[in-house]
């Protein structure tokens, strides 16, 4: 059997496991649910429940293998911005404060005044640590480590705490250029921050106790992974500079592969080993308009009917609510829902408008990275429509790939392989990702974008 690598994705609603070989063939997968506690702007989870669910999921996945000796490494990804506080032994000090917890907005505003992080927000983990220091001083006094979700679960696997990778460290305030904690961070918090290593670095091995609990073989290397978004980007097939991993879910989110940091007010960047950077951005436009405008409709039938309208459909900017993040930054932007269009025409207009916004996003990102024409590895629910995928390829005049297994757990498995089997993250991603289908652009159909700009010229500003 080819060597196997396990990826653990610790999400919001569940734990997901994928075990794949070095050619990307999935040999086992399993999942287990998680409970969440929410009250107003507060969102918390118990880290020990992550551990219980991870143990159940790992046992279920390992039971599908005929030979555990083929396992070579395991890595864990997690949500970006979730804060876990632990004592000297790694035991949680209170519940984890989740990435979508909004209690630390005031701390984030204060930090923006003393740091260079223009996009630092309450969703980051660093302001959450400051909130604990200010509002729960007795709890703060018991903390030895401020960790990410992935850091803590990986620590439980091997018994080694106080280590993070520089992907998970980003929203704790890590300076990715120097790979160190900046001095503007409060010294009382900075002394609690973990040591920093690259994604794909071995930090320990499975202990006897962990092996008994999970079924993993004792001595199996535990490797650092990345945030769930970065892991999913790797799993999509992203491995060539100038290409994009784009998720079309409720919103459009972008990650690109670049050889240098990117300086742009609307673009943030993660970092990978080997001098690689992952510039990213997110639009408020995506597929959320479909359930909002077409609730209880047969979306697949609307999709087929809309396909007969192209390339002559009208395009609309399907922005729900107020505010846009990318390709323009305007907290007050509103776009009225168009009137006078039939059901199929309105559906087609939304598909085309989303594709046009996406094209403009690529232009802004290309300009920021000094690249052009990269391919797109597309994930998310919107990528399951052949008609929409082909339309996006035509409007953007780029080749679109539909990955076979674009799950964050696969990305964690790729990073486990990168740290123990392949010579680099890029090689691991290239060897372990597969494409289900490719959509090639039809020449000359990008003209729909020009008509769209005549209605929304501020997109060029």
């Amino acid at each position: 059997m080819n060597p196997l690598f396990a990826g653990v994705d610790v999400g919001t609603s569940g734990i997901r496991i994928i075990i794949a070989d070095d050619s990307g063939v999935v040999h086992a997968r399993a999942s287990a649910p998680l409970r969440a506690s929410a009250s107003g702007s507060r969102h918390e989870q118990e880290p020990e429940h992550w551990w219980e669910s991870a143990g159940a999921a790992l046992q279920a996945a390992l039971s599908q293998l005929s030979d555990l000796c083929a396992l070579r490494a395991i890595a864990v990804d997690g949500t970006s911005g979730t804060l876990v506080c632990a004592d000297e032994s790694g035991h949680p000090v209170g519940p984890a404060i989740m990435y979508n917890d909004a209690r630390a907005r005031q701390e984030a505003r204060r930090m923006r005044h003393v740091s260079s992080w223009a996009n630092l927000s309450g969703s980051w983990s660093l302001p959450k640590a400051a909130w604990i220091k200010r509002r729960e001083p007795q709890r703060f006094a018991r903390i030895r480590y401020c960790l990410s979700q992935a850091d803590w679960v990986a620590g439980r696997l091997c018994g080694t705490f106080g280590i993070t990778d520089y992907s998970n460290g980003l929203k704790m305030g890590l300076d990715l250029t120097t790979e160190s904690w900046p001095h503007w961070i409060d010294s009382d918090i900075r002394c609690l921050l973990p040591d920093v290593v690259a994604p794909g670095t071995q930090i320990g091995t499975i202990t006897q106790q962990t092996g008994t609990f999970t079924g993993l073989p004792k001595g199996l290397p535990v490797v650092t992974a990345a945030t769930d978004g970065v892991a999913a980007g790797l799993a999509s097939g992203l491995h060539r500079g100038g290409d994009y991993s784009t998720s079309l879910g409720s919103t459009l989110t972008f990650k690109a592969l670049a050889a240098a940091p990117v300086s742009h007010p609307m673009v943030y960047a993660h970092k990978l080993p080997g001098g690689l950077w992952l510039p990213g951005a997110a639009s408020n436009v995506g597929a959320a308009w479909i359930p909002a405008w077409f609730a209880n409709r047969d979306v697949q039938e609307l999709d087929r009917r809309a396909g007969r309208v192209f390339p002559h459909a009208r395009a609309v900017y399907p922005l729900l609510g107020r505010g846009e993040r990318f390709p323009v930054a305007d907290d007050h932007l509103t776009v009225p829902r168009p009137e006078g269009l039939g059901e199929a025409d309105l559906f087609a207009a939304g598909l085309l408008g989303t594709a046009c916004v996406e094209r403009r996003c690529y232009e802004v990102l290309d300009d920021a990275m000094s690249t052009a024409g990269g391919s797109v590895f597309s994930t998310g629910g919107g990528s399951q429509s052949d008609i929409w995928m082909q339309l996006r390829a035509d409007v953007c005049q780029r080749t679109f790939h539909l990955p076979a297994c674009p799950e964050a757990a696969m990305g964690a498995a790729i990073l486990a392989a990168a740290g123990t089997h392949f010579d680099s993250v890029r090689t691991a991603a290239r060897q372990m990702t597969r494409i289900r289908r490719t959509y090639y652009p039809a020449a000359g159909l990008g003209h729909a974008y020009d008509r769209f700009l005549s209605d929304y010229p501020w997109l060029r500003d």
Side-chain angles (χ1 to χ4, degrees):
M1 181 180 290
N2 288 358
L4 299 177
F5 305 92
V8 181
D9 172 42
V10 188
T12 306
S13 60
I15 304 278
R16 287 161 288 275
I17 311 291
I18 284 180
I19 300 176
D21 67 25
D22 59 355
S23 67
V25 174
V26 175
H27 290 251
R29 61 170 72 232
S31 63
L34 290 174
R35 297 186 300 268
S37 173
S39 177
S41 62
R42 295 193 177 201
H43 295 265
E44 298 178 338
Q45 288 187 358
E46 293 295 337
E48 289 294 347
H49 183 49
W50 301 340
W51 183 240
E52 294 168 7
S53 294
L58 280 165
Q59 288 186 27
L62 293 170
S63 70
Q64 301 167 38
L65 301 180
S66 60
D67 184 7
L68 293 185
C69 293
L71 274 175
R72 294 292 184 270
I74 186 171
V76 183
D77 75 76
T79 55
S80 177
T82 293
L83 175 66
V84 187
C85 298
D87 64 18
E88 184 70 40
S89 299
H91 296 126
V93 180
I97 304 179
M98 300 302 290
Y99 64 95
N100 54 346
D101 187 288
R103 74 185 72 176
R105 286 175 292 190
Q106 183 177 349
E107 283 75 14
R109 285 194 294 269
R110 291 172 179 167
M111 288 178 179
R112 283 198 295 268
H113 289 303
V114 298
S115 74
S116 59
W117 293 99
N119 60 345
L120 191 155
S121 70
S123 67
W124 287 40
S125 46
L126 181 62
K128 297 179 177 73
W131 184 92
I132 294 174
K133 178 185 176 183
R134 182 170 67 91
R135 299 293 296 272
E136 299 181 355
Q138 290 183 328
R139 176 185 177 186
F140 187 80
R142 297 166 51 208
I143 297 171
R144 173 59 187 89
Y145 302 113
C146 288
L147 304 170
S148 76
Q149 190 175 36
D151 300 337
W152 187 82
V153 175
R156 283 299 299 265
L157 287 172
C158 63
T160 302
F161 295 93
I163 300 176
T164 192
D165 63 87
Y166 45 62
S167 173
N168 279 295
L170 175 63
K171 288 191 176 179
M172 190 63 84
L174 183 70
D175 184 330
L176 293 180
T177 303
T178 63
E179 300 176 16
S180 63
W181 303 110
H183 289 289
W184 59 262
I185 296 177
D186 185 319
S187 59
D188 289 342
I189 295 174
R190 195 168 66 245
C191 68
L192 307 178
L193 299 180
D195 295 334
V196 181
V197 299
T201 299
Q202 182 177 336
I203 60 170
T205 60
I206 297 297
T207 64
Q208 180 66 56
Q209 183 178 12
T210 296
T212 301
F213 178 68
T214 64
L216 290 166
K218 179 185 176 183
L220 182 73
V222 178
V223 174
T224 55
T227 65
D228 52 358
V230 171
L234 291 173
S236 73
L238 190 64
H239 66 269
R240 190 180 67 175
D243 284 350
Y244 293 92
S245 175
T246 301
S247 176
L248 176 50
S250 297
T251 61
L252 274 163
T253 59
F254 305 88
K255 280 188 172 58
L257 198 62
V262 173
S263 178
H264 190 282
M266 289 183 286
V267 177
Y268 60 92
H270 281 272
K271 185 180 181 181
L272 288 172
L276 300 177
W277 292 81
L278 289 170
S283 171
N284 288 345
V285 167
W289 57 272
I290 296 177
W293 294 355
F294 299 96
N296 303 317
R297 301 294 199 277
D298 186 341
V299 174
Q300 291 184 337
E301 175 59 24
L302 286 172
D303 198 41
R304 287 190 291 269
R305 291 168 60 191
R308 295 193 289 268
V309 179
F310 302 124
H312 304 296
R314 173 183 170 184
V316 300
Y317 199 114
L319 179 67
L320 302 179
R322 178 186 296 272
E324 178 58 292
R325 293 176 288 171
F326 194 70
V328 292
D330 186 342
D331 291 338
H332 305 289
L333 178 66
T334 58
V335 181
R337 176 174 167 172
E339 302 292 339
L341 290 176
E343 191 173 63
D345 287 334
L346 178 60
F347 195 86
L351 296 180
L352 181 56
T354 306
C356 291
V357 172
E358 184 176 2
R359 175 169 171 171
R360 179 57 184 153
C361 290
Y362 293 133
E363 290 182 345
V364 174
L365 288 164
D366 275 353
D367 184 63
M369 297 189 300
S370 300
T371 60
S375 297
V376 178
F377 296 84
S378 183
T379 63
S383 300
Q384 302 310 306
S385 164
D386 285 337
I387 290 171
W388 208 357
M389 285 287 285
Q390 187 60 57
L391 175 68
R392 293 163 66 197
D394 292 341
V395 171
C396 297
Q397 288 294 288
R398 294 171 187 263
T399 299
F400 274 61
H401 302 290
L402 183 63
C405 186
E407 299 179 42
M410 173 60 93
I414 289 170
L415 284 163
T420 57
H421 182 68
F422 292 105
D423 61 0
S424 69
V425 171
R426 178 178 284 181
T427 301
R430 184 172 63 247
Q431 295 295 325
M432 293 180 65
T433 53
R434 299 179 171 206
I435 301 302
R436 185 190 309 169
R437 183 172 177 182
T438 296
Y439 301 80
Y440 297 98
L445 290 187
H447 62 80
Y449 176 66
D450 298 325
R451 298 201 306 270
F452 180 78
L453 277 185
S454 66
D455 292 330
Y456 305 100
W458 40 265
L459 269 175
R460 284 289 187 186
D461 296 339

